[in-house]
Amino acid sequence: MTPAASTHNPVIGWDLGGVHVKAALVRKGRVEAVVQAPCRLWRGLPALDETFSQLPDWARGEADHVVTMTGELTDCFSDRTDGVAQLSAWAATNLPGTVRIYGGRAGLLSPGEATGAAIDVASANWHATAALVGRHAAKALLVDIGSTTADLIPIVDGRPAATGYSDAERLETGELVYSGVVRTPVLAFTASAPFKGRRTGLMAETFATTADVYRLTGDLPEGADQQHSADMKGKSIPETEIRLARMIGRDHAEGTSADWRALAAHFAECQLRPLHDAAAILLSRPDIAADAPLVVCGAGRFLAERLARRLGRSAVALSDLIAPSLAEEGADWASTCGPAVAVALLAGTSLPACPIQS
């Protein structure tokens, strides 16, 4: 049976990812603190222990813990079910107080129940954010662009109305676009780029990522890039330019700063195009209102806002939508850590059904 929440303990929402751990502290329905920390989970659960030990004291305290996850995808696990089982067991062992696992359409589960519902638990963090948005907006398209992926989730009549549920299904429907503003290799978007009046092919190497692109364009939020760079070197502007230059087989001295910024702007445009196509298809659904706004969040909120302008839709920041529940400081991190905030705010309330068949 799913454990009951205490009426006295604070609630801490968790999003256990393969690259970051995110946590949000909620007391009396108000988000008091949010944190994101890097985690090299692909190395195994000891990496999660290390990250956990370095979190603020409040994150390790007695609380009603509600956990969602994407880390079950990490290749240290044999498959998703194994990942859900191990991460749920880790949460039950290490989080003091009550622990519940967010199962999306299956509701809140005990850690012991999570393995049997792995298909519902696995990467259901998008559902949590969409369910929270639905509490505040009857109609919308949630666009959550993170460090690695983008979720585009229709909200209809105040409920998540995705056609897919699993990662595989949502990749087919365009509700999941494997594209983020920090970790995605730039070669994922295009095979060529313009440089000094000519078209040049790209090196099929992971010399640079989107963090490099948006560092040069000036869009990358402070603190968003928490992992090593592609070449394990620094993140200064010259070092960033070197990585982009290598993508087109060039040395840094072969271009000016303006040349490298122009190259970065091209890659940014190439990333936006498939997001635009996916959103346009979803917004063409007959059950999505013509005036439905885009609710935008994530480390790539700036890109989601750009997408809204291109689509001719209004953009509403998640942090603005839930502003009465947020402390004055830290709203940007609440946006970046949307699923952790969502499961904490949704805890103790009835969860919306998701109109999807397995």
Side-chain angles (χ1 to χ4, degrees):
M1 179 179 294
T2 305
S6 166
T7 57
H8 304 291
N9 283 345
V11 178
I12 299 178
W14 293 88
D15 187 0
L16 303 181
V19 178
H20 300 105
V21 168
K22 303 172 183 178
L25 172 65
V26 171
R27 295 181 192 272
K28 299 180 179 180
R30 186 173 177 83
V31 181
E32 293 188 354
V34 183
V35 65
Q36 173 181 288
C39 179
R40 302 177 188 179
L41 186 57
W42 61 89
R43 294 183 172 181
L45 285 178
L48 186 54
D49 295 331
E50 179 183 8
T51 297
F52 185 64
S53 71
Q54 297 171 359
L55 293 177
D57 289 343
W58 61 259
R60 301 192 303 275
E62 184 87 10
D64 293 324
H65 299 275
V66 186
V67 179
T68 188
M69 63 184 73
T70 59
E72 80 286 341
L73 286 170
T74 311
D75 52 16
C76 68
F77 304 122
S78 60
D79 57 23
R80 285 177 172 81
T81 299
D82 177 44
V84 168
Q86 291 201 46
L87 289 174
S88 298
W90 180 92
T93 301
N94 290 277
L95 303 180
T98 300
V99 176
R100 293 176 287 172
I101 309 298
Y102 186 79
R105 59 189 176 187
L108 293 173
L109 309 167
S110 70
E113 294 170 326
T115 303
I119 192 173
D120 298 312
V121 173
S123 297
N125 62 349
W126 63 270
H127 186 280
T129 311
L132 179 63
V133 170
R135 298 285 173 91
H136 300 271
K139 54 187 180 181
L141 179 68
L142 168 64
V143 181
D144 183 351
I145 304 178
S147 63
T148 310
T149 62
D151 295 309
L152 292 83
I153 310 300
I155 309 297
V156 177
D157 296 330
R159 296 174 180 269
T163 304
Y165 188 90
S166 68
D167 284 344
E169 291 168 349
R170 294 193 304 120
L171 282 169
E172 292 175 350
T173 62
E175 292 156 345
L176 171 61
V177 179
Y178 229 86
S179 176
V181 297
V182 177
R183 300 184 65 245
T184 307
V186 296
L187 58 86
F189 311 129
T190 182
S192 64
F195 187 73
K196 293 188 173 182
R198 300 183 67 178
R199 174 186 174 276
T200 177
L202 300 189
M203 295 286 205
E205 298 282 356
T206 311
F207 285 136
T209 68
T210 44
D212 296 311
V213 168
Y214 294 114
R215 198 165 13 252
L216 288 192
T217 63
D219 294 310
L220 189 67
E222 184 177 355
D225 184 9
Q226 296 184 328
Q227 294 289 349
H228 291 300
S229 62
D231 59 3
M232 305 292 285
K233 295 183 179 178
K235 298 176 182 178
S236 68
I237 294 301
E239 289 167 312
T240 299
E241 292 172 346
I242 287 170
R243 287 190 286 272
L244 279 191
R246 286 183 177 142
M247 286 305 306
I248 57 170
R250 300 278 182 168
D251 288 329
H252 186 228
E254 295 182 69
T256 65
S257 291
D259 291 328
W260 306 129
R261 286 195 301 271
L263 184 60
H266 175 75
F267 288 138
E269 169 63 21
C270 289
Q271 183 176 25
L272 186 57
R273 290 170 187 167
L275 291 167
H276 173 270
D277 291 347
I281 292 171
L282 293 170
L283 290 171
S284 73
R285 282 175 35 172
D287 58 342
I288 299 182
D291 60 346
L294 269 61
V295 175
V296 297
C297 61
R301 190 181 90 181
F302 66 89
L303 190 59
E305 291 171 343
R306 199 169 297 162
L307 174 63
R309 291 194 294 271
R310 178 166 294 193
L311 291 164
R313 299 268 178 157
S314 60
V316 179
L318 174 65
S319 53
D320 290 340
L321 198 67
I322 62 171
S325 299
L326 295 178
E328 291 183 6
E329 296 183 0
D332 288 342
W333 278 114
S335 173
T336 300
C337 303
V341 170
V343 292
L345 290 176
L346 291 170
T349 64
S350 57
L351 299 177
C354 189
I356 304 169
Q357 297 298 318
S358 302

